[in-house]
Amino acid sequence: MNFQQLRSVRETARRGFNLTEVAQVLHTSQPGVSRQIRELETELGIEIFVRAGKRLTGLTPPGETVLPIVERLLQEADNLKRAGDDYAAQGKGTLVIAATHSQARYALPTAVRDFRAMHPNVQLRLHQGSPKQVAELLLEGEADLGVATALIATYPELVALPCYRWTHSVIVPAGHELAEEAARGVPLTLERLAEFALITYEPGYTGRSQIDEAFTQRGLVLDLVLSAMDADVIKTYVELGMGVGIIAAMAWDEQRDPGLRAIDARHLFATNMTHVGLRRGAYLRDYVYDFIRTFASPLDRAHVERAMAAPVGTVVEP
């Protein structure tokens, strides 16, 4: 039994049983992948995959039992290498962060700056994507930590640490009738908002589900003329007069957005929670703990370690 056999099994399951893709990921040939799988199956005395001719189509019942063990063995091997690197590198290394667009643009910059001052020899890499993509990068071991909304808390393989709550704002051009009503103290209602063409996030991004749910519960139609992944794009089209925007409140800044006005919408849409996500069982280098503490001060090392050790579904308070 060797690690290449284990990697072949893991990647075959991850890549939808497409051995061509597996071979590309592992930098080998398709016959080589097939041979590695067959050798492991022979050694274990079981068939891991269901076959239809030469194609693999799924996991056998023994394969479903074996795959989580293979995942754990490879994760522990990776942990062993990280632990060795941690002691050998003496403060050097790479920190890979996966984050949604809004978190990367508005929530992380201060933490990244402060962390860089603390660890000048650590290279930072930032991957941006949807909450689902952030979770997938963590699950595949491609990121050390993720920053996203509550979706990552639904994955049992991940530890999700609550960081802070945030709300939405409605944005309009200066002089817009909604801005004038807000200035006179007239409360904004969903019914009033539904009278306008709206611009907001794509499904799966930055609390979009909370927005859809609020309209649905009131039996109102969301007249969506444009959706985008990024708040800066939304603000651009609001300034052009294409519609009224709904964005994360942290994405509006009076100095950066002088042509826009923001109206507090926390009473219209449910509050959102940002989490730091970690792969359960992963070895965390010292500077990963430091970054988490820099980003969310209540999440010190002791709290993170308790959360990583806690059973799935357990909420560990700071």
Side-chain angles (χ1 to χ4, degrees):
M1 186 182 302
N2 59 59
F3 284 120
Q4 191 65 8
Q5 293 171 346
L6 301 180
R7 292 189 187 98
S8 295
V9 169
R10 180 185 66 181
E11 292 304 323
T12 298
R14 285 183 175 181
R15 308 291 162 181
F17 313 103
N18 186 324
L19 295 188
T20 301
E21 290 187 16
V22 175
Q24 292 174 346
V25 170
L26 297 180
H27 306 290
T28 186
S29 65
Q30 184 174 332
V33 172
S34 297
R35 185 180 65 256
Q36 296 286 353
I37 292 172
R38 277 295 191 191
E39 288 176 355
L40 182 60
E41 288 179 322
T42 299
E43 184 168 350
L44 295 178
I46 61 172
E47 287 197 346
I48 298 173
F49 296 104
V50 177
R51 290 172 169 82
K54 293 184 178 180
R55 294 189 304 110
L56 305 184
T57 60
L59 287 167
T60 63
E64 292 177 354
T65 299
V66 165
L67 182 60
I69 300 172
V70 169
E71 293 272 8
R72 288 198 298 272
L73 286 170
L74 290 173
Q75 183 174 6
E76 289 302 324
D78 185 56
N79 287 345
L80 185 62
K81 184 178 186 305
R82 287 170 180 256
D85 290 343
D86 210 5
Y87 284 98
Q90 297 182 344
K92 298 179 181 179
T94 301
L95 174 61
V96 183
I97 303 168
T100 58
H101 294 267
S102 292
Q103 302 297 333
R105 173 68 177 85
Y106 301 106
L108 284 174
T110 300
V112 168
R113 180 200 62 198
D114 294 346
F115 174 83
R116 179 64 180 169
M118 294 168 54
H119 294 277
N121 294 321
V122 175
Q123 180 185 5
L124 285 158
R125 292 171 55 198
L126 183 61
H127 295 300
Q128 297 180 58
S130 68
K132 182 180 179 182
Q133 290 169 330
V134 169
E136 289 172 348
L137 287 168
L138 288 170
L139 292 172
E140 293 176 3
E142 297 296 324
D144 297 302
L145 63 89
V147 182
T149 48
L151 178 65
I152 59 175
T154 64
Y155 290 80
E157 304 93 338
L158 301 179
V159 175
L161 304 170
C163 295
Y164 66 91
R165 298 181 184 276
W166 57 271
T167 58
H168 286 100
S169 287
V170 169
I171 56 166
V172 294
H176 190 278
E177 57 190 283
L178 289 182
E180 294 176 350
E181 290 173 8
R184 296 197 306 269
V186 178
L188 179 62
T189 65
L190 273 180
E191 287 75 11
R192 178 65 168 136
L193 191 57
E195 297 176 11
F196 299 90
L198 298 173
I199 305 172
T200 191
Y201 300 103
E202 289 187 1
Y205 285 82
T206 322
R208 169 64 188 273
S209 60
Q210 311 282 38
I211 296 170
D212 291 343
E213 184 177 353
F215 277 86
T216 299
Q217 287 182 347
R218 300 294 286 271
L220 298 171
V221 176
L222 180 66
D223 181 12
L224 190 66
V225 297
L226 180 71
S227 61
M229 295 184 294
D230 187 80
D232 286 340
V233 174
I234 296 170
K235 289 187 289 185
T236 296
Y237 288 95
V238 171
E239 286 189 294
L240 290 175
M242 286 186 59
V244 171
I246 306 173
I247 62 172
M250 60 184 162
W252 180 81
D253 182 271
E254 188 174 6
Q255 294 182 337
R256 286 197 309 261
D257 305 307
L260 297 173
R261 298 293 181 267
I263 304 168
D264 189 357
R266 71 183 67 194
H267 61 293
L268 300 181
F269 309 113
T271 300
N272 298 271
M273 174 66 77
T274 289
H275 292 79
V276 166
L278 302 165
R279 188 179 181 188
R280 194 174 297 278
Y283 176 84
L284 303 180
R285 299 184 65 174
D286 288 342
Y287 55 70
V288 177
Y289 291 104
D290 288 344
F291 183 87
I292 295 171
R293 180 68 182 271
T294 302
F295 179 61
S297 57
L299 302 181
D300 58 19
R301 182 170 187 144
H303 175 76
V304 174
E305 289 178 341
R306 289 199 308 273
M308 292 286 279
V312 176
T314 303
V315 177
V316 179
E317 297 295 336

